[in-house]
Each structure stands twice: as structure tokens, then as C-alpha cells.
Amino acid sequence: MKKLTILALILGAVGFGYIYVSNHFFSSTPIEAVEKVRYEMKGHLLYEAETDRGKILFILRDLQNGQTINAEYVRKTPLLGWKWGYGGGHTLPSIHDKDPDSYWTVQYFPSPFLFGVILNSQIDSIQVYSYATKESFTASIKATGDRNVRFWYQLLPEEQGTKFQLTAEADHQIISTKISE
């Protein structure tokens, strides 16, 4: 009888622990995983990019001081669902007519992953050059629903390093160049 009571207590504790962990740290959907970290998720999902271990969610958020575009990485766990990994965003920048660097932004995440906002309708490509491997990539550009605001992103293997030269182009002409480290 004593062994049966101990076994029941152990199974109960394991069951309670599983429910606690899955409800507080894991979620049944990717967006729910982000909402557990970003408590005020006023905004809407723009795009989901598949990765080898999860997804990156691009979310347009409305805040008191303007809009932000967030990139939030969530990973799929084998048993418990989705878990937020990292993320962040930035407010939509102000454009200065004589400063082409203000037409677009860049943000780096250590996976490595790059993303930013494009506020100039003439920019039709973002080129990413890795200083580590000397390889170039063309970033994906996605619409937001506002024809003047788009976002771009590039997922990169870790061997590409952490330092990149990025160029914004219009009709194969360089408009602006930035360095990301």
C-alpha cells in the first residue's frame, strides 16, 4: 500500500509538472508563444518564415509613438509545442530626403539573421555580403499592406559570420550601403 501511495504521488507530481511547464513556457501555436513574451501584441502577423528548427514571425505592431515591425523567432519542441527564442523590432524610421540611409533599416540577430524596413518604393533589392565567406545573398522583400512600407529579411548559416555589408538597390543601382556587425 505504501509503494502504491508513493507511486501515485510521483505520477501526480510528474503530471502536475508537465502541465505547469507546458502552460507557462510552451504554447500550442507560434503566435501564442510570442504573446506570452510580448504581453501587448496589438498588431497583426505579416508573414511567417520557416526555418530548420521553427519559424520567424514578422509582426506589425501599433504603439503609442508609432508602428514597429518585429521579427520573433519561435522554435518547435518535440513534445511540448512552441517556445519563444528571441526577437525584437524597431519603429518605422523617419525619411530624410537627402539621406538615402534613412530609406531603410537593418537589424541583426545572432542566429545569424538580418531584417529591416524599407520606406522607399524605388528600392527593389537588398544585397547581403558576408565578410567571413565572401558570399553574397539577395534578401527576401515582403509587403506589409502599405505600399510605402515593406520589410526585408535574410536567414544565414552560422559560417557566414557576424559582419555583413548591405546594399539597397534600385534598378541595379546602389542607393545606400550599410555595415552590420
Side-chain angles (χ1 to χ4, degrees), residues 21-40:
V21 168
S22 65
N23 284 338
H24 289 284
F25 301 110
F26 298 93
S27 303
S28 59
T29 66
I31 195 73
E32 185 180 295
V34 173
E35 289 171 343
K36 284 186 177 182
V37 175
R38 309 276 186 225
Y39 301 106
E40 293 192 27

Side-chain angles (χ1 to χ4, degrees), residues 44 46 60 67 92 118-119 142-151:
H44 64 277
L46 297 172
L60 181 65
Q67 292 182 308
L92 301 184
I118 301 171
L119 297 176
K142 301 293 180 187
T144 65
D146 178 341
R147 70 179 184 88
N148 295 320
V149 180
R150 294 170 292 149
F151 69 94

Side-chain angles (χ1 to χ4, degrees), residues 123-153:
I123 294 175
D124 57 15
S125 75
I126 302 291
Q127 300 298 317
V128 178
Y129 171 80
S130 168
Y131 284 98
T133 65
K134 313 291 188 246
E135 291 182 76
S136 293
F137 306 89
T138 301
S140 296
I141 297 176
K142 301 293 180 187
T144 65
D146 178 341
R147 70 179 184 88
N148 295 320
V149 180
R150 294 170 292 149
F151 69 94
W152 66 272
Y153 73 95

